Structure formats: C-alpha cells, structure tokens
Amino acid sequence: MPSPQQSSILPTYARSSLTFERGEGAWLVTAEGRRVLDFGAGIAVNALGHAHPHLVEALTSQAQKLWHLSNLYQNPDGERLAKRLTEATFADLVFFSNSGAEALEASIKMARKYHSANGQPERFRIITFEGAFHGRTLATIAAGGQKKYLEGFGPKVEGFDQVPFGDDEALKAAIGPETGAILIEPVQGEGGIRPVPTERLRALRQLCDERGMLLIFDEVQTGVGRTGKLFAYEWAGIAPDIMAVAKGIGGGFPMGACLATAEAAKGMTAGTHGTTFGGNPLAMAVGNAVLDVVLAPGFLEHVQQQGLLLKQRLAELKDRHPAVIADVRGQGLMIGIKTHIPNTELAKAAENEDLLLITAGDNVVRLLPPLVIAEAEVSAAIDRIDRACQTLEEEMRQPMKGAAE
Ligand SMILES: *Cc1c(COP(=O)(O)O)cnc(C)c1O
C-alpha cells in the first residue's frame, strides 16, 4: 500500500488501509485471504452484493457486443430500462446519467426549465434542507449547503435556500415568488439516516401543489429497494414530480437516472441537456439485470424482513451497550446507529472485527448491506458489532491503557 506521500491519487479521501482483491455476495476478500463482511456495499451501491452471477453475465455478454455509442443513435436496452422504470414508478420519462450528482443536476435544470417553459423563468430557486447531501458538483454542493463542502470553491451557485430539517414555519417563510421547487431526501443518508416522517412528505406534496412548485426527491441512496420498497416515496403514499436515482441502480456499474412526469419534463426538449456516457450500453445491460432481480416476486419483502431483523437485533445491542449505542433508526436495509462515542471509533472497532460500516453525519454509523444478505449474515454482523462494543467499553474502563497504545 502506498503511503499518502507516495500515492499519485489526489488526496481527497482519508482511506482505510484495507485492500481487497475480490468479492462474493456480502463478503470482500483481501489478497491474503482475510474475509471481511461488507455492510457498506460501496456506500449503498452493491445492491446485489459482489460478483452477482446475473450481473456478471449481463456485463460480460454485453462487453462482447458493444461498449459505447453516444446518444446520437437508438438505444434499445436504454429504451427497455426506461420503460421498466416508468412502469414501476410515478414517472413518464427517464434521463440516464453516470452518477448521483449528475442525476441531481438534470433534476435541478429540469425544474428551472419547467417554470421557464411556463413563462416564469424567475422561479428558479429551490428549497433544500439542513443536513442534506446531493453530491459534489458546484450546483449540488450549493443545494446541500454544507459549509465544509462549499468553502474555498468560490461563490456558491445561486438559487438554493436552505431551511432547518423538520421546521415547517421556516419552510413556509422561505417560499417566495422565485421559488420553483423543493428538493429533499426521503431519508437523509450522509446526514445520518434521518427519515422524514411520512406526514411531512405528504405535507410537502400538498404545499407544492398549492404553490405550483415541483417536488424533487433525491433517492440516490434510498432508491432501488434500499428501504424495502422500490423507491422510498412509496412508503408515504405520494409521489414526487422529479426523482434523482443512482447508487444501487447499476449494482456497482457507474450509472444514474433522473425520472420525471411528462409535465415536469416539458421544458427538456432536444438539445436542452446532454451527456456523452449516460445510457451507455454496458450500463443499460447491467441496469436491466439489476431490475430483473429487484423486481422479482418476493425480493422487496426479503429486504423488509432482513431490515426488521437487523433493526431488532441492533435494538438488543443498544440495551446491552448503552454507553456506546444511543439510537437505532432507519428503514429497510438503510439503518443508522447513533453513538455516544465518536462514530469513527465504532466504525474502526467494527473494521477490526472484519465488518465494514460507514460513518455519516449526526455521529451516526451506517449499515447499508447488500440487499441480498441472508439471516446468517445479519447474525454475523450483530456478533461483530457486539464484540466491537465490548472492546470499546473495555477501553472506556481503562482509558490510560488506550492512550498508551
Ligand atoms: C451519494 C449521493 C449523491 C451523490 O451521488 P454521486 O454518485 O456521488 O454523485 C447524491 N445524493 C444522495 C442522497 C447521495 O447519497
């Protein structure tokens, strides 16, 4: 492993020293044969785990035929995937991108263009929420509004007004004549697995309808089965006008999508937006293969069952380790453990037990396992978190020993 000084990769990430050679389902394997249980799934990306045979087959057989075409020609697999996504959701139309941030950029541009097409180009402002994360492009860091991501990158992109999470009065006060849309994650991911209550999502829908605003959901992390529904908005019984999707949709192949109603998309005519790679045949082949599995009967029920089991078992751990675990929250297989100690310490202790977890805001550690996990893997993860908590408690009892090491 190169030291940070030797690495030629731009040092924007503080990486773990772990180096993996291959993966099988929910497991990652190092060159030395160390097996690590992956409850991060590449940040909710490897929805079907590592090296899923159906995805491997889809990618390798497509790789023999055609890799890339651009969007200048017909795209039968893209047409098929878009049709399947629209049939399974509120949406009428799909734009394929390569990442979550690009799916958000398309969503933001679409909302602005909608009002422009309606003769109200001044309605370009979008309301977002504290603790949000929408990506790392200039517009999406402005939408996310987090100081640490904005600092030093020049003037913040104009047109995003942020309100505190869960403050209805502040939200209503922020709406002005230039407000065109509300953008929200149904469950904040990077913000610390903070679910938006169902009633609040419904209230947002109503507010948007009353004020002629578009409702945009960022389902980059919550989508494609993560919460136990194909998309998290289904839990609330309402639908957005525009939705950004990525992460799980490609099962590990870089891919995103912006889904929308025909009405919301009406400004997006030929030439208004584009991408060289988006909708690439390799991505479309894998995207269709992911949907084959996620839409199969019983799959989402499996996610719900494993999610409930995991949450129950974590609640037991919270009772056993009250000095470490403050709260367990989330939906489906998108679960957060809020810790009393720094969240990085629990994530590190879990890594020492060969379990990968991911930190998030609000001092939370995220569990985002592959959606295909079996009960045995839930149990294995629980045992490892249990041992990690024991180790942390022992260190708390002997603070000097920990400090001397
Ligand atoms: C990861 C994420 C993004 C950004 O996706 P990228 O593929 O990293 O650009 C946007 N929104 C949410 C909710 C995310 O979790």
Side-chain angles (χ1 to χ4, degrees):
M1 182 193 66
S3 73
Q5 290 79 12
Q6 292 165 334
S7 172
S8 300
I9 298 177
L10 194 73
T12 53
Y13 280 93
R15 294 167 194 270
S16 156
S17 60
L18 285 170
T19 309
F20 296 109
E21 198 177 63
R22 63 199 159 86
E24 303 158 1
W27 297 86
L28 283 165
V29 188
T30 67
E32 298 77 39
R34 179 178 164 194
R35 290 172 65 81
V36 176
L37 185 54
D38 184 8
F39 265 47
I43 320 185
V45 167
N46 302 101
L48 306 186
H50 301 279
H52 190 289
H54 188 57
L55 302 197
V56 172
E57 161 59 24
L59 182 64
T60 52
S61 67
Q62 182 60 44
Q64 315 282 335
K65 294 190 277 185
L66 194 59
W67 287 27
H68 178 78
L69 268 178
S70 83
N71 283 298
L72 303 177
Y73 309 97
Q74 291 300 313
N75 184 353
D77 286 342
E79 293 286 353
R80 177 160 173 261
L81 182 54
K83 186 68 78 193
R84 295 172 82 189
L85 286 169
T86 57
E87 280 169 4
T89 65
F90 71 94
D92 303 310
L93 294 163
V94 180
F95 175 84
F96 291 113
S97 67
N98 311 290
S99 68
E102 286 171 295
L104 262 307
E105 289 273 346
S107 303
I108 293 163
K109 287 177 70 176
M110 184 184 286
R112 291 181 173 194
K113 199 77 169 174
Y114 166 80
H115 289 293
S116 169
N118 281 343
Q120 296 184 300
E122 73 283 0
R123 296 187 73 180
F124 69 99
R125 306 196 74 85
I126 297 178
I127 292 178
T128 65
F129 296 84
E130 280 178 10
F133 181 80
H134 299 298
R136 300 294 203 111
T137 61
L138 287 168
T140 55
I141 55 175
Q146 294 211 39
K147 243 202 201 83
K148 63 177 174 183
Y149 297 147
L150 284 160
E151 226 157 55
F153 293 117
K156 189 177 151 212
V157 169
E158 183 57 6
F160 298 95
D161 300 305
Q162 196 157 61
V163 298
F165 190 75
D167 184 338
D168 286 337
E169 288 315 303
L171 170 63
K172 284 186 183 140
I175 300 171
E178 295 185 339
T179 308
I182 293 176
L183 166 61
I184 191 166
E185 297 156 81
V187 182
Q188 282 193 348
E190 310 295 312
I193 312 296
R194 298 203 294 172
V196 182
T198 299
E199 321 80 72
R200 189 158 288 125
L201 291 178
R202 291 198 188 124
L204 289 180
R205 179 68 273 175
Q206 198 183 344
L207 190 61
C208 284
D209 291 343
E210 286 166 7
R211 308 285 190 102
M213 299 184 297
L214 295 174
L215 183 59
I216 309 172
F217 277 3
D218 179 347
E219 292 230 26
V220 169
Q221 197 160 148
T222 52
V224 199
R226 179 55 54 190
T227 68
K229 297 276 191 193
L230 186 59
F231 291 101
Y233 75 81
E234 297 169 42
W235 289 110
I238 50 108
D241 302 292
I242 303 174
M243 178 168 75
V245 182
K247 293 205 163 93
I249 196 174
F253 197 91
M255 159 181 187
C258 167
L259 278 65
T261 62
E263 173 67 9
K266 71 182 183 188
M268 304 304 280
T269 51
T272 54
H273 193 50
T275 167
T276 299
F277 290 120
N280 169 296
L282 295 170
M284 297 300 98
V286 179
N288 273 305
V290 169
L291 277 196
D292 291 343
V293 178
V294 173
L295 294 179
F299 185 87
L300 294 170
E301 288 73 17
H302 168 86
V303 176
Q304 290 175 23
Q305 280 160 10
Q306 300 304 311
L308 279 178
L309 177 67
L310 183 57
K311 220 166 146 183
Q312 272 164 12
R313 303 287 309 273
L314 287 169
E316 290 163 20
L317 285 188
K318 172 176 179 272
D319 292 339
R320 257 216 304 288
H321 304 289
V324 177
I325 300 178
D327 189 22
V328 175
R329 63 200 189 200
Q331 191 151 34
L333 289 171
M334 183 174 184
I335 298 182
I337 303 174
K338 189 169 162 71
T339 54
H340 287 299
I341 55 167
N343 57 355
T344 48
E345 288 184 21
L346 178 57
K348 185 69 206 161
E351 189 179 299
N352 290 339
E353 300 292 340
D354 292 341
L355 172 68
L356 300 186
L357 303 177
I358 300 179
T359 57
D362 199 30
N363 210 35
V364 160
V365 174
R366 275 178 286 178
L367 284 78
L368 303 163
L371 306 181
V372 294
I373 49 162
E375 218 170 300
E377 283 145 353
V378 171
S379 293
I382 292 293
D383 290 346
R384 287 157 199 232
I385 296 170
D386 194 6
R387 288 202 297 273
C389 289
Q390 282 169 29
T391 305
L392 291 164
E393 283 163 349
E394 277 158 28
E395 282 170 12
M396 278 183 239
R397 271 182 242 116
Q398 304 164 293
M400 294 320 292
K401 179 171 172 284
E405 272 169 4

